[in-house]
Amino acid sequence: MVSNPVRPLPALPAELRAHLPAELRGLRRDGVRLMVVDRAAQSIRHSRFIELGSFLRRPDGWAAPARQDGGMSDGPKRLAGTVAMVTGASRGLGRALAIAFAREGAALALCARGIPALDEVANAVAGLGADVHEPGSAETPSAGRSFSWELLFELRRHGVQLADIVLHTGLSSLQDDAVDAEHPLFEEWFGVTANAAEAVNRAPRVIAVGTTVVRALETAAGRDGQVSATEGWTRLRLEAGSPLRVVDGLLTGFHEPQASHFDLLRAFLHEPLLERAYREAMTARYLWHEFGDLCLIL
């Protein structure tokens, strides 16, 4: 029996590369387009990311625990529900701004060149009750960029539960196609807490936000498919035929055929449907890369 070779996919036109975030293209961050690929129905639908909740069924009987925020004083916070990125946060004006933002309820992403001094500031604002984001990522985890607070709260209201894991996302490209092809960047650090592992194990369906989340959860899973609290480096490569023990679906950006991310999609989609989705995305003028549109695989 001779198998048919995979047909080469057309190269991505330059005009479909998104160079600006949605907000600088006249859209809300959650206003990007969404392609929905349904494996069971072998169908492709077109929507907007703001409509994500309509494609996720409610997980019956799965209730999220109430969040406990220790250390916050009573009373409304003017910056509650916002995230502030403070550069130069280890001293001077940056340190003062970090503390001021923390007192007003903002979650913080602190950036500085001096790690010991930055750790001291992080401990100080954590003592004020601030949610200080973990340091270490080299790039934005782009699949989650389009989530707005409004959309997250809407998903929660409709019973969609969220589990957070830590990703120190590695570089997706060295900006040289030849070097990228010869030296793929597979190693990335992740952390799954006991609470996150429990939430994933209880979920009737797990949708990963980004290819790195897929690799992290599948690395943290045992042979029985149960996720354990784990932290460390994942070197897992997923491709056609790779078993998926944990993740049932994927929210991802659009990737070019030569990228390792595209190989990972083959663990979810058989080649005919993957090729069809790729060609349809090009025809419909979806935008690629970190600031582009999104694809939901169910």
Side-chain angles (χ1 to χ4, degrees):
M1 179 178 178
V2 178
S3 60
N4 294 323
V6 176
R7 290 191 299 168
L9 293 170
L12 180 70
E15 64 269 19
L16 295 186
R17 300 171 186 263
H19 297 290
L20 295 173
E23 299 92 318
L24 295 182
R25 292 187 275 119
L27 300 171
R28 287 172 50 98
R29 68 186 305 142
D30 54 16
V32 298
R33 300 169 69 191
L34 178 69
M35 171 184 279
V36 181
V37 181
D38 188 319
R39 291 175 289 176
Q42 293 288 291
S43 67
I44 297 174
R45 288 177 284 178
H46 304 279
S47 185
R48 290 279 173 183
F49 187 63
I50 191 65
E51 301 297 330
L52 176 66
S54 65
F55 299 102
L56 303 178
R57 65 176 180 265
R58 183 171 183 145
D60 296 334
W62 187 35
R67 176 173 174 172
Q68 301 296 322
D69 287 323
M72 296 292 284
S73 60
D74 294 334
K77 301 292 183 179
R78 289 182 295 174
L79 299 180
T82 66
V83 179
M85 175 176 284
V86 182
T87 59
S90 62
R91 61 182 181 175
L93 179 60
R95 184 182 190 280
L97 284 172
I99 291 173
F101 285 144
R103 285 176 174 156
E104 291 299 334
L108 297 174
L110 305 179
C111 307
R113 289 179 291 180
I115 296 299
L118 185 62
D119 285 342
E120 185 274 324
V121 176
N123 290 333
V125 297
L128 296 171
D131 178 8
V132 183
H133 293 198
E134 289 280 348
S137 186
E139 285 194 349
T140 299
S142 53
R145 186 191 182 279
S146 295
F147 281 102
S148 62
W149 285 109
E150 294 91 337
L151 179 55
L152 288 171
F153 292 146
E154 182 71 13
L155 292 174
R156 280 282 181 91
R157 282 194 294 269
H158 286 83
V160 177
Q161 306 302 321
L162 307 175
D164 298 327
I165 67 173
V166 176
L167 299 176
H168 289 182
T169 310
L171 292 172
S172 61
S173 172
L174 295 174
Q175 303 303 310
D176 185 308
D177 291 342
V179 175
D180 287 346
E182 188 173 350
H183 302 285
L185 300 166
F186 290 131
E187 188 176 74
E188 294 178 301
W189 194 97
F190 73 96
V192 178
T193 65
N195 286 342
E198 180 183 2
V200 170
N201 290 334
R202 292 174 56 193
R205 182 170 65 162
V206 176
I207 308 296
V209 180
T211 55
T212 303
V213 174
V214 178
R215 297 176 67 216
L217 291 179
E218 294 294 334
T219 299
R223 292 183 178 180
D224 59 356
Q226 292 293 293
V227 174
S228 301
T230 310
E231 65 176 33
W233 295 92
T234 177
R235 301 171 181 84
L236 180 65
R237 175 164 185 164
L238 296 170
E239 54 194 357
S242 297
L244 295 169
R245 295 170 293 181
V246 180
V247 179
D248 303 300
L250 171 64
L251 178 69
T252 182
F254 288 93
H255 307 290
E256 293 172 279
Q258 66 269 27
S260 62
H261 302 285
F262 197 86
D263 282 340
L264 184 145
L265 300 184
R266 292 187 167 97
F268 288 88
L269 298 173
H270 293 305
E271 199 67 33
L273 185 55
L274 179 60
E275 177 182 339
R276 179 181 153 205
Y278 179 84
R279 293 180 183 276
E280 192 161 325
M282 289 185 63
T283 300
R285 312 296 289 176
Y286 278 79
L287 296 181
W288 259 249
H289 296 309
E290 287 81 358
F291 295 140
D293 297 311
L294 293 167
C295 178
L296 176 65
I297 299 173
L298 298 174

